[in-house]
Amino acid sequence: MDIDRYIICGDSLPQLSTECESNTTRLHIYGSDDDCKLNLRIDEIQKRLYKEVPARFRDLLDIATYVFAADQTNPRGARDVESFGSFWRRRFHFFISVRDLEFWRSAETQKVLCETLSFLSDDHYDFIFSEIKHQSSFQTFLNFTDDEVRRNLPERVVMFSGGVDSVGGAVEEVVNQKNPVLLVNHRATQKLDIRYEKLRRLLNTKATNNLPSHVRVTVNKKKSMNREYTQRSRSFLFVTLGATIAEMLGLSHVRFYENGVISLNLPICAHVVGGNATRTTHPRVIHGFQSLLTLVSGKPFCVDNPFHWNTKGEIAKLISRAECADLIADSISCTHTWEISNQHSHCGYCSQCIDRRFAILAAGLENHDPLEQYRMDIFTESRSKSEHINEDKTLFANYLERANQVDLIDGPLQFLKKFPEVARALPYLDESVGARLPRCFDMYKKHSGEVNRVIDKMLAEHGRAIRQRSLPPDSMLRIVYESRLPCTVSAKLGKEDLPENVFRRKGEAWQVRFQGGKEFIVLGHKGVGYIHQLLSRPGEAISAVEIVCGSAAEYCNYLIVARTAIEDGLTSKHNPLLDTLGAISDKQAIDQYRDEAERLLGEIDRARADNNEVLVRELQVEIQAFLSTIHTSVGIGGRLKQSGDKQKNIRDSFRSAVKRVIDNQIKHADSSLAEHLTKYTTFGNHPKYQPLDGISWELSAVVNE
């Protein structure tokens, strides 16, 4: 159940009803220092780099600061981050005064802003903008440095959190690539200042003549306002700060460095879904940031993550190869910053601590990550030090279970079936379409190998203590050894014996194999569906209009099966593969579209059998009108362009869709199949697939495998 939260920001004065007051938060960045004040500081700006920031960036910085503060001041329903509470998702209504009112009220800006934030934090966002009344200079937020060291002018802005991944990114940029960069560091607490300064000094010693510039940013408020620690919107503030500084430098590029396993962050267990699995640098979020910043800046703006295909273990090795392993000890990964002390910089039981420790051990760099800095040994100590002992045990056990499950999966399609959340990322990855899912699978395979090797190593190292039961009963190694994991390991998925030639739907993807070659997958359902229709009727010249209609009917069948699976409890309601249902999620409406498509196809077959060409042409016109409706509603390729010659329009659209699938996907996965389809497929009003070798295809869809 979502609760409406009203966030009144700055000098905005909305008229709210009395019953809304109990769910209202007031915040301001400018003005008196009261309990609602947010303090934003950007320190160590070199005067030679400063220039005034455009109004839209000032607005964006205000918006991001308010969103971040509201995220922290409005608690979710769950006490712990790893489980759903009944009020996990919040409905935010922001009232914010801005400088460029027309821009922020535009439908395009609102759409990108709300969709990006909603996916990032798994909350609902609504923004009501008004014109700002009181403005102050941007310089009021700045603290200029007296540092006279002459550094190269930065050519790139890199976000620097101080964790292992961002340290690896800084090493890659400064030491390996020798790029002049500016590192932007957002500090959530002053407890980390000493460690950040030590990291800075160490990095400077490695950089020699290529010293990076540094900017430190802080956003703080009254301690009483800290009521929610998940901070899912933090990366929005982080990227906004980086982009604002980039704008000051005349740059249009901001770079994150975070490992791909965390970026995709597939749920480690069934109840950790949605924003509960953090999406800080998820490819869809990165794409949303880039789209929003392009709108704000009025020119192409790039946001990327070069470590997207790397595991944290690989990043740790990169740091070591650059002879920078001594930076690891002072890096900060722990999410429980409130527990940090001079003695312990890491709690040892949050998800980030677990991931860090496994990565360091997998890389063989444990000498650079002293165990003493962890409040608790992840493997051998009792979890009783943790306030949420049961949740932490479940988190660790499921972390291992996911590694086991991935290790037992044979291929990308099984990976997609087991972890359907990966489908959310595929459209936004910087890789050829056919290679995206296999690369995600390969990365998770590498990660699972790292995790399992570490467990094997720790079991061997502590074998005597485990056998003698001298380790605490709730220590992780005892739990693993005595097989009392909360989850059970699935039996290994059997590998299917595929026919030599396969082209069939398997969930949202299409499973393809040609002449006994390697199996691969093709995404999408428009041009791929057309190819499937051609392969199903070899040697037959078919009207392009009928193929498109048949493909639409087939897709409706798929939607019906998927929707029925949900109703029967066979599929998770959070399955992202079903996001494509969009506005037409009503099963009855999909049924009607499918029935109408099949009726029209049946009638045209009968008319053709009766040699009634007049009726055939009339039905084709009716199909064209029907397709305009179904494409718009179901989303199969979007709305058809209006044209005086609708048959030509459909014919051209058909040809383009087929060639796009062949050139952009199939060609990269199996060039021989691409050549085969190109050679033996003819287009026009009546396309035909006419192979000379009598090849046969397995075309039946895989349902509820």
Side-chain angles (χ1 to χ4, degrees):
M1 178 180 177
D2 302 339
I3 294 180
D4 290 292
R5 318 290 178 96
Y6 302 92
I7 316 299
I8 302 176
C9 307
D11 55 18
S12 182
L13 297 172
Q15 298 296 318
L16 297 178
S17 61
T18 305
E19 54 266 26
C20 294
E21 283 298 320
S22 60
N23 293 321
T24 297
T25 302
R26 286 176 167 78
L27 303 169
H28 66 89
I29 301 173
Y30 312 96
S32 58
D33 189 13
D34 54 26
D35 289 344
C36 303
K37 179 69 179 295
L38 307 176
N39 297 300
L40 169 65
R41 296 295 301 170
I42 302 177
D43 296 316
E44 302 184 65
I45 288 285
Q46 297 179 48
K47 291 183 179 179
R48 68 190 180 113
L49 303 181
Y50 173 75
K51 72 174 183 179
E52 191 64 30
V53 176
R56 289 181 188 174
F57 274 93
R58 292 287 308 276
D59 289 337
L60 181 63
L61 192 55
D62 288 355
I63 293 167
T65 303
Y66 287 133
V67 167
F68 178 65
D71 188 9
Q72 291 184 297
T73 57
N74 288 269
R76 300 182 186 269
R79 187 184 70 166
D80 60 279
V81 66
E82 311 303 344
S83 61
F84 264 123
S86 58
F87 302 105
W88 171 265
R89 296 180 178 89
R90 301 159 298 185
R91 296 181 62 86
F92 284 121
H93 304 274
F94 284 88
F95 299 86
I96 304 177
S97 54
V98 292
R99 297 156 187 82
D100 192 340
L101 184 59
E102 182 180 359
F103 172 78
W104 292 105
R105 280 184 173 176
S106 72
E108 183 179 15
T109 302
Q110 290 252 349
K111 182 176 185 292
V112 174
L113 177 64
C114 292
E115 287 184 356
T116 300
L117 288 176
S118 293
F119 184 77
L120 173 63
S121 72
D122 207 29
D123 296 306
H124 171 83
Y125 288 86
D126 177 37
F127 290 91
I128 299 92
F129 293 110
S130 58
E131 190 167 358
I132 197 167
K133 298 180 179 64
H134 305 290
Q135 300 192 42
S136 59
S137 171
F138 185 63
Q139 290 195 43
T140 59
F141 298 124
L142 304 180
N143 182 18
F144 292 101
T145 181
D146 293 327
D147 185 2
E148 295 299 326
V149 176
R150 301 299 292 180
R151 295 172 169 83
N152 295 328
L153 285 174
E155 296 178 2
R156 182 174 294 142
V157 173
V158 176
M159 312 313 295
F160 183 71
S161 67
V164 171
D165 293 348
S166 69
V167 167
V171 168
E172 176 65 15
E173 292 279 354
V174 176
V175 180
N176 292 343
Q177 301 296 330
K178 303 193 182 306
N179 294 325
V181 300
L182 186 147
L183 302 178
V184 178
N185 173 228
H186 172 223
R187 303 191 187 183
T189 173
Q190 292 181 341
K191 292 180 181 180
L192 305 178
D193 284 355
I194 294 176
R195 284 182 171 268
Y196 281 130
E197 290 306 314
K198 189 173 180 182
L199 276 177
R200 175 176 175 166
R201 290 195 302 271
L202 285 171
L203 187 59
N204 284 348
T205 62
K206 308 293 184 181
T208 58
N209 295 325
N210 183 40
L211 296 180
S213 299
H214 296 263
V215 169
R216 182 179 69 183
V217 180
T218 56
V219 177
N220 53 53
K221 56 195 175 306
K222 297 291 184 181
K223 192 173 182 179
S224 60
M225 297 174 72
N226 292 328
R227 305 185 189 111
E228 174 60 45
Y229 73 89
T230 53
Q231 298 185 23
R232 291 294 187 253
S233 65
R234 182 173 181 262
S235 65
F236 177 50
L237 174 61
F238 205 15
V239 77
T240 297
L241 291 164
T244 302
I245 293 167
E247 178 69 17
M248 289 171 53
L249 301 175
L251 303 175
S252 300
H253 191 176
V254 169
R255 177 160 280 180
F256 285 93
Y257 276 97
E258 187 160 60
N259 75 82
V261 175
I262 288 296
S263 288
L264 288 182
N265 210 12
L266 303 182
I268 60 173
C269 49
H271 59 277
V272 183
V273 294
N276 233 341
T278 180
R279 297 166 175 164
T280 302
T281 55
H282 189 281
R284 180 171 169 180
V285 170
I286 294 290
H287 174 80
F289 289 161
Q290 182 167 283
S291 299
L292 180 60
L293 290 170
T294 294
L295 290 173
V296 171
S297 64
K299 59 182 180 294
F301 201 105
C302 178
V303 181
D304 63 0
N305 175 19
F307 280 171
H308 180 75
W309 299 113
N310 297 106
T311 67
K312 190 182 286 289
E314 290 177 321
I315 295 168
K317 290 180 180 178
L318 178 151
I319 296 171
S320 179
R321 286 195 300 270
E323 299 182 356
C324 296
D326 48 335
L327 274 70
I328 292 175
D330 290 295
S331 62
I332 300 289
S333 302
C334 186
T335 57
H336 295 176
T337 54
W338 60 90
E339 296 189 34
I340 290 176
S341 64
N342 291 332
Q343 183 180 2
H344 302 298
S345 59
H346 291 78
C347 69
Y349 47 81
C350 72
S351 60
Q352 291 290 341
C353 283
I354 292 172
D355 207 39
R356 171 195 175 100
R357 193 62 180 160
F358 269 92
I360 298 301
L361 289 168
L365 297 172
E366 51 267 40
N367 290 338
H368 295 281
D369 188 40
L371 187 57
E372 295 76 27
Q373 69 180 357
Y374 290 85
R375 186 171 176 230
M376 182 193 70
D377 186 319
I378 291 171
F379 299 99
T380 62
E381 290 191 38
S382 170
R383 316 300 284 184
S384 59
K385 292 181 181 180
S386 168
E387 181 182 352
H388 307 304
I389 179 172
N390 291 328
E391 291 92 339
D392 293 331
K393 287 167 65 176
T394 301
L395 170 66
F396 188 95
N398 282 297
Y399 182 85
L400 301 184
E401 174 66 4
R402 185 180 66 182
N404 276 334
Q405 290 176 346
V406 172
D407 190 51
L408 297 173
I409 293 174
D410 288 324
L413 282 175
Q414 290 179 338
F415 178 65
L416 179 63
K417 176 186 174 184
K418 185 66 180 177
F419 300 101
E421 281 271 337
V422 74
R424 293 186 185 274
L426 297 181
Y428 307 100
L429 294 174
D430 185 17
E431 183 61 85
S432 62
V433 176
R436 293 171 187 173
L437 180 59
R439 287 205 70 179
C440 289
F441 173 61
D442 290 344
M443 178 181 63
Y444 266 86
K445 269 287 194 181
K446 288 187 294 184
H447 179 256
S448 70
E450 292 172 355
V451 171
N452 290 329
R453 284 194 298 274
V454 168
I455 283 294
D456 291 343
K457 176 182 177 181
M458 299 307 291
L459 287 172
E461 185 175 320
H462 298 278
R464 173 177 290 185
I466 294 171
R467 176 171 51 80
Q468 295 177 346
R469 298 179 180 271
S470 58
L471 293 180
D474 62 346
S475 66
M476 287 303 104
L477 287 183
R478 278 280 298 272
I479 292 174
V480 171
Y481 181 76
E482 295 172 8
S483 301
R484 287 193 273 120
L485 291 173
C487 296
T488 57
V489 179
S490 304
K492 185 165 184 176
L493 298 170
K495 191 167 185 178
E496 180 185 7
D497 292 329
L498 287 177
E500 283 197 348
N501 302 294
V502 177
F503 202 106
R504 63 186 182 184
R505 180 182 287 282
K506 194 170 185 179
E508 181 72 1
W510 292 77
Q511 182 183 33
V512 182
R513 188 188 192 197
F514 182 59
Q515 293 183 338
K518 184 179 179 180
E519 170 197 1
F520 62 97
I521 61 103
V522 176
L523 300 177
H525 52 69
K526 186 182 178 184
V528 194
Y530 300 164
I531 294 173
H532 184 265
Q533 290 282 319
L534 286 170
L535 297 182
S536 67
R537 298 162 72 175
E540 183 178 346
I542 318 166
S543 165
V545 173
E546 293 176 48
I547 294 177
V548 174
C549 188
S551 180
E554 188 276 335
Y555 185 61
C556 284
N557 269 324
Y558 162 67
L559 296 184
I560 290 167
V561 171
R563 181 60 61 185
T564 302
I566 285 182
E567 293 170 353
D568 293 344
L570 301 176
T571 309
S572 167
K573 291 184 179 180
H574 301 287
N575 189 335
L577 300 184
L578 303 177
D579 283 352
T580 51
L581 297 184
I584 186 157
S585 57
D586 175 38
K587 181 174 179 290
Q588 182 178 1
I590 300 171
D591 273 327
Q592 292 172 354
Y593 281 121
R594 189 270 311 272
D595 293 345
E596 178 66 7
E598 292 182 345
R599 179 189 70 79
L600 289 168
L601 290 172
E603 287 191 14
I604 206 168
D605 281 343
R606 287 190 292 273
R608 188 170 284 114
D610 294 338
N611 294 318
N612 190 341
E613 290 301 318
V614 174
L615 182 56
V616 167
R617 286 193 293 272
E618 289 177 355
L619 287 168
Q620 286 181 340
V621 171
E622 188 175 349
I623 287 175
Q624 291 162 13
F626 165 72
L627 288 174
S628 295
T629 301
I630 192 171
H631 278 220
T632 300
S633 300
V634 181
I636 307 176
R639 184 187 298 273
L640 293 175
K641 297 177 181 177
Q642 296 302 311
S643 169
D645 184 354
K646 289 188 177 181
Q647 186 173 24
K648 179 179 183 300
N649 184 46
I650 292 175
R651 181 193 68 199
D652 293 344
S653 175
F654 174 90
R655 178 188 179 96
S656 297
V658 170
K659 290 184 71 65
R660 190 159 48 245
V661 171
I662 293 174
D663 293 341
N664 295 347
Q665 296 194 58
I666 295 175
K667 185 177 180 180
H668 296 288
D670 190 333
S671 59
S672 61
L673 175 57
E675 292 173 6
H676 174 84
L677 292 174
T678 301
K679 182 177 181 180
Y680 295 116
T681 302
T682 57
F683 295 96
N685 288 332
H686 293 80
K688 180 170 65 173
Y689 167 65
Q690 180 71 66
L692 299 179
D693 49 6
I695 187 173
S696 62
W697 290 89
E698 172 56 55
L699 302 167
S700 300
V702 179
V703 180
N704 288 339
E705 184 184 48

